[in-house]
């Protein structure tokens, strides 16, 4: 962090002495006012529910310019990474700060593939779930349970433990997601195949059966790889902040990532792709494209409680750059599978067109986010709707673990402990039961 040449002064209208606070500059983005000594100096807290104006940490991993619609991983634009690199190269970049060279890529891919299997005992753990359990309920349990299997990598303060648990998590997430899927459909689990790419192996574990050969389609493999790359990190979003806060207590990495999985589940975050697809299916049932106008009126009516899922973003006030890439992938996948006339895709395009021209959306700077198209791609590939968020969790694991490790390695890191503005009852006495 670099000190800016100006300072911030906070003054009070009641004559209390004003305080000066240092201002720091990052390499990109807004400066921050350092309020760490504010309470000691004034006896006052700041109030910022939802963290609208609060930088909770310093980070060198991901940068988003929401107004421009720009996303950089370690300085590289997402468009260049999505088109010029694969997911494992992106993982290397997020974890270690640099893209690997050819030799480094081979070594890293090998390292990850050496950890793709999970302990056989995991199968019995899975069996405790109902067959109709939501995959995110299963994933929260399975990821947390990894801490019971890898006692040699649970000390978050040990850099070797952090390194190996990062690799284990990245390597095992596809296996766990595919197992969660196979369990719910009653098919045998498919062991990982380390001769396949990361994305190809995921498709294999999801869709192969022991009865016949499964050939991975290069178009679908590229699409899955792109979904993973686009979702790999997104700076201090709700689930990443959850992982950081959870990890700040010194808990083990598997437990911290399980907390991230739980947070991602919500429909305002990772659950949006599932919610978006459900919304498209509901409109389709109502009558499809002809009902788009009627649906939009509901969305614009504040009392209806209906939102256009896959639209809007806390940070992007412009087109989400990932949505553009996902729209391209969507077209490629539908063409490969002969689904160019897919009614849900047509419906999505009609909704997007109206929303981009409608004053309600334009004035609020609401644009499609990545989830608007990722659901259609996943559904076309054959991934069931309830599994969408688990696929997102798989992809985001590298971001979570890179951010967690960055936090633990930061000398300024402390246990996260927000304060509050208390508005409850002042002190009072408990009355005996008969008098209440
Ligand atoms: N449909 C209709 N109106 C919307 C939508 C939407 N999808 N999103 C925001 N608005 C409206 C709000 O009602 C509000 O209107 P107002 O100013 O008249 O009150 C205004 O736009 C600002 O919205 P906020 O909710 O204040 O914006 P915030 O930054 O808090 O919310 C969020 C962002 C949660 C993503 C929101 O846009 C949303 O719920 N979108 C739908 C869910 C979704 O797609 N989530 C995915 C996020 S991306 C991801 O996790 C990968």
């Amino acid at each position: 962090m670099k000190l800016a040449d100006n300072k911030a002064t906070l003054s009070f209208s009641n004559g209390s002495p004003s305080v000066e606070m240092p201002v720091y500059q990052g390499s990109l983005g807004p400066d921050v006012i350092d309020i760490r000594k504010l309470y000691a100096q004034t006896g006052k807290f700041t109030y910022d529910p939802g963290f609208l104006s609060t930088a909770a940490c310093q980070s060198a991993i991901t940068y988003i310019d929401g107004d421009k619609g720009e996303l950089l991983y370690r300085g590289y634009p997402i468009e260049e990474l999505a088109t010029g690199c694969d997911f494992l190269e992106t993982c290397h970049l997020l974890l270690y700060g640099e893209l690997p060279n050819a030799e480094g890529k081979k070594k890293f891919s090998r390292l990850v593939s050496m950890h793709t299997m999970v302990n056989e005992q995991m199968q019995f753990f899975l069996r405790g779930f109902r067959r109709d359990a939501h995959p995110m309920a299963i994933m929260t349990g399975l990821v947390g349970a990894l801490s019971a299997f890898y006692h040699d990598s649970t000390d978050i303060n040990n850099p070797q433990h952090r390194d190996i648990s990062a690799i284990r998590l990245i390597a095992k997430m596809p296996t766990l997601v595919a197992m969660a899927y196979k369990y719910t459909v009653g098919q045998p689990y498919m062991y990982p195949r380390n001769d396949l790419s990361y994305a190809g192996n995921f498709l294999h574990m999801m869709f192969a059966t022991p009865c016949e050969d499964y050939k991975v389609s290069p178009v679908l493999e590229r699409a899955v790889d792109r979904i993973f790359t686009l979702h790999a990190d997104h700076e201090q979003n709700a689930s990443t902040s959850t992982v950081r806060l959870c990890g700040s207590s010194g808990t083990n990495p598997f437990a911290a990532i399980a907390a991230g999985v739980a947070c991602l589940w919500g429909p305002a975050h990772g659950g949006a792709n599932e919610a978006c697809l459900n919304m498209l299916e509901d409109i389709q049932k109502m009558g499809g494209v002809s009902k788009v106008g009627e649906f939009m009126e509901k969305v614009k009516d504040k009392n209806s409680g209906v939102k256009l899922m896959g639209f809007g973003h806390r940070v992007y006030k412009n087109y989400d750059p990932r949505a553009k890439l996902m729209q391209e992938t969507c077209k490629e996948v539908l063409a490969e599978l002969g689904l160019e006339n897919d009614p849900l895709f047509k419906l999505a395009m009609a909704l997007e067109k109206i929303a981009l021209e409608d004053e309600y959306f334009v004035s609020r700077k609401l644009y499609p986010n990545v989830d608007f198209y990722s659901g259609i791609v996943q559904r076309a590939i054959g991934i069931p709707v309830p599994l969408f968020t688990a696929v997102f969790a798989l992809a985001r694991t590298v971001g979570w673990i890179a951010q967690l490790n960055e936090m633990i390695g930061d000398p300024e890191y402390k246990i996260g402990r927000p304060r509050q503005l208390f508005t409850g009852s002042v002190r009072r006495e408990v009355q005996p039961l008969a008098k209440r």
Side-chain angles (χ1 to χ4, degrees):
M1 282 200 300
K2 192 175 134 217
L3 262 179
D5 33 18
N6 60 338
K7 284 191 171 155
T9 307
L10 178 67
S11 57
F12 300 91
S13 56
N14 65 358
S16 303
S18 57
V19 280
E20 269 197 351
M21 289 164 294
V23 174
Y24 291 103
Q25 287 177 327
S27 45
L28 287 169
D31 295 351
V32 299
I33 302 167
D34 182 351
I35 57 163
R36 281 176 290 183
K37 296 208 175 109
L38 188 71
Y39 179 60
Q41 288 174 341
T42 66
K44 291 178 174 52
F45 297 140
T46 55
Y47 181 62
D48 186 17
F51 299 101
L52 296 178
S53 298
T54 298
C57 62
Q58 52 173 317
S59 179
I61 302 176
T62 294
Y63 175 74
I64 305 172
D65 185 325
D67 293 322
K68 275 206 250 164
E70 181 178 67
L71 169 61
L72 311 175
Y73 292 166
R74 304 269 188 198
Y76 296 112
I78 190 68
E79 292 82 356
E80 290 182 28
L81 291 168
T83 51
C85 303
D86 68 16
F87 178 65
L88 281 187
E89 289 171 73
T90 307
C91 289
H92 188 287
L93 174 70
L94 290 170
L95 278 180
Y96 309 124
E98 292 300 338
L99 284 167
N101 59 18
E103 179 59 22
K105 179 178 174 178
K106 223 166 110 189
K107 251 173 88 182
F108 184 69
S109 306
R110 185 82 194 128
L111 179 63
V112 171
S113 64
M114 285 293 91
H115 291 276
T116 49
M117 282 205 300
V118 295
N119 191 299
E120 284 291 289
Q121 196 66 16
M122 268 289 176
Q123 297 183 17
F124 305 110
F125 183 60
L126 240 168
R127 248 186 235 169
F129 286 93
R130 285 171 54 134
R131 293 267 176 196
D132 62 355
H134 193 285
M136 286 301 275
I138 299 180
M139 287 307 293
T140 316
L142 292 187
V143 175
L146 288 176
S147 36
F149 289 94
Y150 301 103
H151 294 149
D152 61 343
S153 58
T154 51
D155 178 3
I156 209 161
N157 294 312
N158 179 324
Q160 279 94 36
H161 283 213
R162 294 204 295 272
D163 276 353
I164 188 62
S165 55
I167 299 297
R168 281 183 170 146
L169 277 157
I170 293 166
K172 292 180 201 306
M173 281 301 269
T175 316
L176 295 179
V177 173
M179 283 173 78
Y181 168 63
K182 290 292 196 191
Y183 180 73
T184 56
V185 291
Q187 287 183 10
Y189 307 122
M190 296 302 291
Y191 284 109
R193 266 192 45 195
N194 293 345
D195 59 322
L196 297 174
S197 72
Y198 189 87
N201 176 48
F202 177 61
L203 284 167
H204 156 79
M205 290 189 292
M206 284 286 296
F207 301 117
T209 66
C211 319
E212 47 189 276
D213 266 355
Y214 173 80
K215 253 190 106 47
V216 176
S217 145
V219 174
L220 303 193
E221 185 180 7
R222 205 168 46 245
V224 168
D225 190 85
R226 182 170 281 190
I227 292 176
F228 292 166
T229 300
L230 298 186
H231 288 86
D233 195 44
H234 216 224
E235 53 116 311
Q236 310 311 321
N237 55 82
S239 58
T240 303
S241 300
T242 300
V243 169
R244 280 185 177 255
L245 191 57
C246 184
S248 78
S249 73
T251 192
N252 71 75
F254 304 107
I257 302 301
V261 175
C263 177
L264 190 74
W265 193 355
H269 191 13
N273 51 16
E274 178 176 346
C276 180
L277 217 103
N278 289 336
M279 171 193 80
L280 293 174
E281 281 174 349
D282 287 346
I283 306 174
Q284 192 59 28
K285 277 185 216 139
M286 279 161 51
V289 175
S290 65
K291 293 288 175 184
V292 163
E294 201 181 299
F295 179 76
M296 284 305 211
E297 287 314 308
K298 268 198 221 150
V299 168
K300 291 192 275 181
D301 174 7
K302 286 268 156 190
N303 301 320
S304 73
V306 178
K307 275 198 167 177
L308 181 55
M309 299 314 286
F311 256 72
H313 197 276
R314 170 60 61 81
V315 182
Y316 292 117
K317 301 303 169 197
N318 201 328
Y319 214 99
D320 177 343
R322 303 168 302 169
K324 278 190 196 139
L325 293 154
M326 197 44 73
Q327 192 194 47
E328 251 173 56
T329 299
C330 190
K331 285 184 183 153
E332 258 176 56
V333 166
L334 295 179
E336 164 78 2
L337 299 171
L339 297 171
E340 292 98 329
N341 292 320
D342 178 58
L344 287 199
F345 181 62
K346 290 213 157 136
L347 185 57
M349 298 285 277
L351 278 170
E352 184 186 10
K353 186 168 183 304
I354 294 182
L356 289 177
E357 287 163 2
D358 192 295
E359 160 29 54
Y360 175 95
F361 292 90
V362 175
S363 62
R364 289 171 179 78
K365 299 190 173 161
L366 299 171
Y367 293 88
N369 59 53
V370 65
D371 293 322
F372 196 66
Y373 286 106
S374 72
I376 301 175
V377 175
Q378 293 191 60
R379 175 176 161 275
I381 291 174
I383 297 171
V385 177
L387 206 73
F388 289 0
T389 317
V391 173
F392 187 167
L394 179 179
R396 182 55 58 84
T397 295
V398 62
W400 288 332
I401 197 90
Q403 300 264 356
L404 179 66
N405 289 352
E406 181 185 64
M407 178 187 76
I408 306 290
D410 182 344
E412 296 203 348
Y413 123 81
K414 281 186 168 30
I415 183 168
R417 178 49 169 100
R419 304 305 299 261
Q420 64 174 8
L421 174 67
F422 182 68
T423 56
S425 170
V426 295
R427 188 185 169 105
R428 53 184 172 159
E429 277 172 18
V430 173
Q431 296 299 313
L433 197 57
K435 285 199 178 171
R436 279 180 237 153

